[in-house]
Amino acid sequence: MSSIADNIKRIKEQTVEKLISLGRPEDDITIVAVTKTHPVAVIEEALRNGISHIGENKVQEAIHKIPFITVPYEGFHFIGHLQSNKINNLLKLKPMLIQSIDSLYIAQQLNRSLGRKNITQDILIQVNTTAETTKSGVNPENAIDMIWQIAALPCLNIKGLMTIGMLSPNPENTRPYFRKLWKLKEKIEAEKIPEVQMKYISMGMSEDYLIALEEGSNMLRLGTIIFGTRNYGGTN
Ligand SMILES: *Cc1c(COP(=O)(O)O)cnc(C)c1O
């Protein structure tokens, strides 16, 4: 079994090699280590070995871990489905980026909470490119309308898009969905929506991150490939 440090080193080497082969700058990437199910000590091990961004998908879990991390890091990312009754707890964790805004309703609720605190928040819009009903995300056809509306909310700054690929034994199957997100990004840029930036394209997980890089991703969300298989507790 390889260690977390080895895994991170290998992923970084492969990522740099891929970016160079694509003619992209080798620092044109943010790796978000997805730390769900993993305890603080494991998160700290990753932070000591080259990781500076971490992501969690459940507020309830994050509030029991994030405040207890003693190794410095650059950013905490929220990447899961956000419920309105969890917004205040999430904001206490000072997320650098909430990657998973998927409805006007949740954006409005978030905007209201931020307004009361007189702060702003960077967000990504989660797009359900694969049209799987089990997944969150706005459908691509409605994304531009939704972005116009969210862009008008004063406390939210849209910084890009996030999608989850097709979870499939063959990662190639996910390429068309990554392309779809990239096309949508170009359309949104062409709309020139005030205050909206397409700075981050968050796509690519453990199985498909090299393909995601080929399709333009500049933010990877990697869990299993860094930490090994997750144990969700209970019976195992
Ligand atoms: C769990 C999760 C990941 C990481 O998945 P791996 O396949 O373990 O790399 C990435 N993005 C989101 C939204 C997740 O929930």
Side-chain angles (χ1 to χ4, degrees), residues 5-6 47 65 86 99 102 134 136 155 159 205 208 235:
D6 292 337
L47 292 174
K65 289 157 54 178
K86 303 281 164 52
Q99 298 203 9
D102 56 3
T134 52
S136 309
C155 299
K159 295 290 180 190
M205 301 171 32
D208 52 24
T235 53

Side-chain angles (χ1 to χ4, degrees), residues 72-175:
Y73 57 91
E74 271 180 54
F76 163 61
H77 299 239
F78 187 71
I79 61 171
H81 183 65
L82 181 57
Q83 294 166 298
S84 53
N85 62 351
K86 303 281 164 52
I87 287 173
N88 284 321
N89 274 337
L90 176 59
L91 293 179
K92 285 180 200 151
L93 303 177
K94 302 199 185 335
M96 185 192 116
L97 205 51
I98 300 176
Q99 298 203 9
S100 41
I101 296 301
D102 56 3
S103 71
L104 179 59
Y105 173 76
I106 199 69
Q108 287 166 332
Q109 299 295 311
L110 180 59
N111 181 67
R112 187 184 300 172
S113 297
L114 292 160
R116 282 195 218 107
K117 299 180 201 310
N118 208 12
I119 52 175
T120 61
Q121 175 68 54
D122 288 351
I123 61 167
L124 304 183
I125 302 300
Q126 182 174 352
V127 183
N128 187 357
T129 47
T130 62
E132 290 166 283
T133 51
T134 52
K135 263 189 213 154
S136 309
V138 60
N139 81 50
E141 292 71 40
N142 299 336
I144 293 181
D145 272 356
M146 200 180 89
I147 288 172
W148 271 103
Q149 290 174 292
I150 294 177
L153 302 173
C155 299
L156 295 179
N157 302 317
I158 298 177
K159 295 290 180 190
L161 304 176
M162 184 270 253
T163 200
I164 299 173
M166 185 67 86
L167 304 175
S168 147
N170 179 1
E172 269 300 325
N173 291 342
T174 213
R175 190 185 295 277

Side-chain angles (χ1 to χ4, degrees), residues 39-56:
V40 170
V42 170
I43 301 173
E44 290 177 335
E45 189 178 342
L47 292 174
R48 277 191 216 98
N49 286 284
I51 288 297
S52 48
H53 293 261
I54 52 180
E56 290 277 340

Side-chain angles (χ1 to χ4, degrees), residues 210-222:
L210 293 173
I211 290 173
L213 290 174
E214 289 171 5
E215 300 305 329
S217 168
N218 62 8
M219 184 169 273
L220 305 173
R221 307 179 312 272
L222 303 178

Side-chain angles (χ1 to χ4, degrees), residues 36-38 61 227-236:
K36 62 192 184 201
T37 77
H38 300 295
E61 181 179 343
F227 299 108
T229 317
R230 282 181 290 274
N231 178 354
Y232 285 93
T235 53
N236 62 4

